[in-house]
Amino acid sequence: MVKHIVMWAFKEEVSEDARKEAVVKIKEGLEGLVGVVPGLLKAEVIVQPLSSSSHDLCLISELDSEESLKAYATNPDHVKVASVVRSVTCNRSCMDFEV
């Protein structure tokens, strides 16, 4: 099994209203990929970080293999959601590891 953890910060120019709207779309979009993208077992998007955090959003996901992770990256359903994420965020950080 592979854990895929990604964190993002909102772009400074994104208004508070746009952030609230984006949070809903991103959370529903990424979590909704479970059962749609082959090999994606779990996806949880954290949208209310503590004030000590350096990022605004965090995806914690589990995939059945490294091959599934590679396929997930180019899956059309994921790419569609990722375009929404990229439109409002910056400073992406990622860590993938086997468990």
Side-chain angles (χ1 to χ4, degrees):
M1 184 175 346
V2 172
K3 285 258 191 183
H4 173 62
I5 301 173
V6 186
M7 296 181 291
W8 304 269
F10 280 113
K11 294 177 182 177
E12 286 185 29
E13 65 269 18
V14 177
S15 71
E16 190 61 35
D17 288 342
R19 288 176 188 221
K20 289 177 183 176
E21 184 179 318
V23 160
V24 172
K25 285 182 182 177
I26 292 168
K27 184 169 179 61
E28 288 177 356
L30 290 172
E31 291 179 355
L33 294 174
V34 176
V36 174
V37 175
L40 180 61
L41 307 173
K42 294 181 184 176
E44 178 183 12
V45 178
I46 310 302
V47 298
Q48 295 180 330
L50 296 177
S51 62
S52 57
S53 300
S54 61
H55 289 75
D56 300 306
L57 300 166
C58 179
L59 167 66
I60 303 169
S61 57
E62 293 181 4
L63 296 101
D64 62 10
S65 66
E66 189 173 354
E67 292 76 24
S68 291
L69 175 61
K70 290 176 185 174
Y72 167 79
T74 59
N75 178 284
D77 294 306
H78 171 255
V79 169
K80 184 177 176 181
V81 178
S83 68
V84 173
V85 176
R86 280 192 300 275
S87 73
V88 294
T89 64
C90 60
N91 299 329
R92 180 184 183 272
S93 297
C94 176
M95 178 173 272
D96 302 320
F97 55 96
E98 288 192 52
V99 291

